[in-house]
Amino acid sequence: MPDRVRIIGSYLSPYVRKVLVCLHLKGVPYEIDPIVPFMGGDRFSTLSPLRRVPVLVDDGVTLADSTVICQYLEDRHPQPAVYPRDVADRARARWLEEFADTRMGDVFIWRLFNQLVIRRFVWGEETDRALVARTLAEDVPQVLGYLEAAAPAEGFLFRDLSIADIAIACFLRNAAFARFTIDAMRWPRTAALVDRTLATAPFERLRPFEDEMMRTPLARHREALAALGAPLTADTVGTATPRRGIMEV
Amino acid sequence: MPDRVRIIGSYLSPYVRKVLVCLHLKGVPYEIDPIVPFMGGDRFSTLSPLRRVPVLVDDGVTLADSTVICQYLEDRHPQPAVYPRDVADRARARWLEEFADTRMGDVFIWRLFNQLVIRRFVWGEETDRALVARTLAEDVPQVLGYLEAAAPAEGFLFRDLSIADIAIACFLRNAAFARFTIDAMRWPRTAALVDRTLATAPFERLRPFEDEMMRTPLARHREALAALGAPLTADTVGTATPRRGIMEV
């Protein structure tokens, strides 16, 4: 059994962040090959048939979906738990994780972060301002309204920090990279829940790496992360030039 | 606690089928409101914010994602298990379920079944023949090649029938509705695995309802299912006319 699990995927991906937060919470040592999914070569396609990040490689197990990886980490390292113990709460937490990964992914990543960050810095393309405006006016309030009805007045969604809080906060961290923050007058519980979650130690530990990557050109990410002491792998499945793949279908 | 769980969703949905197969395997009694997701009213939107089927309602728990529902059923009714016991196998089974739900959903449902069945019978629109031809020539071989490398020479993927076999077979059942069958000369293990899975009792129990719905106009589905003795709910969250929603984004 290897000392450390290997994670492939960028610190800027909300799905990678979800897995890294679970690793930190559980105290599982890891190393990271911080590629963006567009910059993966043929070895990456073999490990991740949908060309998604994160990928986890641990002791002969290769998994290429963040939800499957987090559940695997829970099964392999049960304490501290990131899924609620009560069966109904556990199911609700998984539903909120799915809502975040699907709907918040669509709204905050593919419409906002993609338009305002990825298109410009990976592809050199213009932002679709009308799409961004429509997303902010229609989709974002719908998502935050749904979360506001579920969010607690204090603490976390299911008492202790769980996969539900983590998944939701991961997307708001990316939204912040695109200069979006929740209007705390309109959605006070959600704003406070996300603030509490982002202030926990695992999120705080990842923050310097994320901030560094946001201000560093893609080609110098590895070098900049090495200078900050990130636990980088010796080799990479990344490439120097971006390519389109299944992930974007 | 109610006698029966309630399922909302059509027998023709592969995601609904996955849940129904788990219910039959575990011997959990259920009733069904067999709407297609396009035919859901406001009550449906409240229960299923992404306007997806299936929805499960059980003892105050409402869940609107097939993967979350199957895991909930496993937690609530552990025997017989549909997830492998070994931690690595369980993770691999979950990954194959995700591969099926995402990639096979995209290829077999959104490109083939949608083009050849849903567009015509729900929306009255023409099939995009070029898209179907490209899907059959490129995407289907890629998916079946991936499965062929994972499929066993005999038996099921992880010894006993599991969520991985079930999820994969569910999509091939819909492919059959669109008159697609696997070329057993080219992908013999996958073809045999799917045949074995579809021949198990839970799939056989559902077959008459599915066949009846394929030959019955949408407006008469409930009536036709009642005549066959399907365990229908007394009321419905369905509507008489289709409407577009988030599911299709």
Side-chain angles (χ1 to χ4, degrees):
Chain A
M1 186 168 162
D3 300 352
R4 301 196 289 183
V5 305
R6 169 175 291 217
I7 299 297
I8 300 165
S10 166
Y11 284 103
L12 296 183
S13 156
Y15 303 98
V16 172
R17 186 173 306 115
K18 191 174 71 168
V19 166
L20 296 180
V21 165
C22 288
L23 287 164
H24 278 279
L25 265 173
K26 290 175 175 295
V28 178
Y30 67 90
E31 60 182 14
I32 185 166
D33 179 6
I35 71 165
V36 292
F38 314 106
M39 314 286 278
D42 291 339
R43 268 175 66 212
F44 174 61
S45 297
T46 303
L47 294 170
S48 183
L50 306 181
R51 289 183 63 78
R52 285 181 182 169
V53 295
V55 178
L56 169 141
V57 183
D58 180 30
D59 197 18
V61 179
T62 300
L63 302 171
D65 175 78
S66 68
T67 299
V68 173
I69 292 172
C70 290
Q71 184 63 63
Y72 167 77
L73 292 173
E74 182 84 350
D75 290 350
R76 192 92 183 217
H77 309 279
Q79 297 303 329
V82 294
Y83 293 78
R85 188 165 175 176
D86 175 74
V87 167
D89 283 348
R90 187 153 69 241
R92 287 189 197 101
R94 286 187 171 121
W95 158 250
L96 287 170
E97 181 191 12
E98 169 62 21
F99 178 82
D101 288 353
T102 299
R103 181 70 176 138
M104 295 179 75
D106 186 39
V107 172
F108 288 105
I109 302 305
W110 292 111
R111 304 201 203 175
L112 295 186
F113 186 70
N114 180 48
Q115 285 296 333
L116 295 165
V117 181
I118 298 176
R119 279 175 68 92
R120 290 168 62 195
F121 294 101
V122 177
W123 305 109
E125 295 170 355
E126 290 297 307
T127 297
D128 180 342
R129 293 279 162 197
L131 174 64
V132 169
R134 199 164 63 242
T135 302
L136 290 171
E138 294 171 17
D139 299 281
V140 166
Q142 191 267 345
V143 166
L144 294 178
Y146 184 74
L147 294 180
E148 189 69 10
E154 52 190 35
F156 297 106
L157 280 155
F158 302 98
R159 186 157 46 181
D160 298 321
L161 182 68
S162 79
I163 195 72
D165 313 290
I166 294 167
I168 291 164
C170 282
F171 288 94
L172 269 306
R173 181 76 177 121
N174 273 70
F177 299 148
R179 303 191 188 286
F180 173 87
T181 49
I182 299 175
D183 178 348
M185 298 293 281
R186 191 164 171 195
W187 300 287
R189 290 182 171 211
T190 308
L193 175 66
V194 168
D195 283 350
R196 275 193 296 276
T197 305
L198 293 179
T200 58
F203 280 97
E204 285 290 350
R205 288 278 297 278
L206 298 169
R207 183 178 292 273
F209 302 131
E210 297 166 352
D211 289 343
E212 184 68 9
M213 292 184 75
M214 278 303 291
R215 58 182 168 238
T216 305
L218 266 180
R220 295 190 44 238
H221 272 186
R222 252 189 111 84
E223 173 191 345
L225 288 168
L228 279 181
L232 298 181
T233 55
D235 58 339
T236 180
V237 296
T239 56
T241 50
R243 79 187 210 194
R244 309 243 180 210
I246 286 169
M247 201 191 72
E248 298 161 89
V249 167
Chain B
M1 185 167 161
D3 298 353
R4 302 196 288 183
V5 306
R6 170 174 292 216
I7 300 295
I8 299 165
S10 167
Y11 284 103
L12 296 183
S13 156
Y15 304 98
V16 173
R17 187 172 305 116
K18 190 174 71 168
V19 166
L20 296 180
V21 165
C22 289
L23 287 164
H24 279 278
L25 265 174
K26 291 175 175 296
V28 178
Y30 67 90
E31 60 182 13
I32 185 166
D33 180 5
I35 71 165
V36 292
F38 315 104
M39 315 286 279
D42 291 339
R43 267 175 66 213
F44 174 62
S45 298
T46 303
L47 294 170
S48 183
L50 307 182
R51 289 183 61 80
R52 286 181 182 167
V53 294
V55 178
L56 169 141
V57 183
D58 180 31
D59 197 18
V61 179
T62 300
L63 302 171
D65 175 79
S66 68
T67 299
V68 173
I69 292 171
C70 290
Q71 183 63 63
Y72 167 77
L73 292 173
E74 182 85 350
D75 290 349
R76 192 90 183 217
H77 308 278
Q79 296 303 328
V82 294
Y83 293 78
R85 188 165 176 179
D86 174 75
V87 167
D89 282 348
R90 187 154 71 241
R92 288 189 197 101
R94 286 187 171 122
W95 158 250
L96 287 170
E97 181 191 12
E98 170 62 20
F99 178 82
D101 288 354
T102 299
R103 180 71 176 140
M104 296 179 75
D106 185 39
V107 171
F108 289 105
I109 302 306
W110 292 111
R111 303 201 203 173
L112 295 185
F113 186 71
N114 180 47
Q115 284 296 333
L116 294 165
V117 181
I118 298 175
R119 280 175 68 93
R120 290 168 62 195
F121 294 101
V122 177
W123 305 109
E125 295 169 355
E126 289 298 306
T127 297
D128 179 342
R129 294 279 162 195
L131 174 64
V132 169
R134 198 165 61 241
T135 301
L136 290 171
E138 294 170 16
D139 299 281
V140 166
Q142 192 266 346
V143 166
L144 294 178
Y146 184 74
L147 294 179
E148 189 69 10
E154 52 190 33
F156 297 106
L157 280 155
F158 302 97
R159 187 156 47 179
D160 298 322
L161 182 69
S162 80
I163 195 71
D165 313 290
I166 293 167
I168 291 165
C170 283
F171 288 94
L172 269 306
R173 181 76 178 121
N174 273 71
F177 298 149
R179 303 191 189 285
F180 173 87
T181 49
I182 298 175
D183 179 348
M185 298 292 282
R186 191 164 172 196
W187 301 288
R189 290 182 171 210
T190 308
L193 175 67
V194 169
D195 283 350
R196 276 193 296 276
T197 305
L198 292 178
T200 58
F203 279 98
E204 285 291 348
R205 289 278 297 279
L206 298 169
R207 183 178 292 272
F209 302 131
E210 296 166 352
D211 289 343
E212 184 69 9
M213 292 184 76
M214 279 303 291
R215 58 183 168 240
T216 305
L218 266 180
R220 296 189 45 240
H221 273 186
R222 252 189 112 84
E223 173 190 343
L225 288 168
L228 279 181
L232 299 181
T233 54
D235 58 340
T236 180
V237 296
T239 56
T241 49
R243 79 187 211 195
R244 310 242 179 209
I246 286 169
M247 200 191 70
E248 299 160 89
V249 167

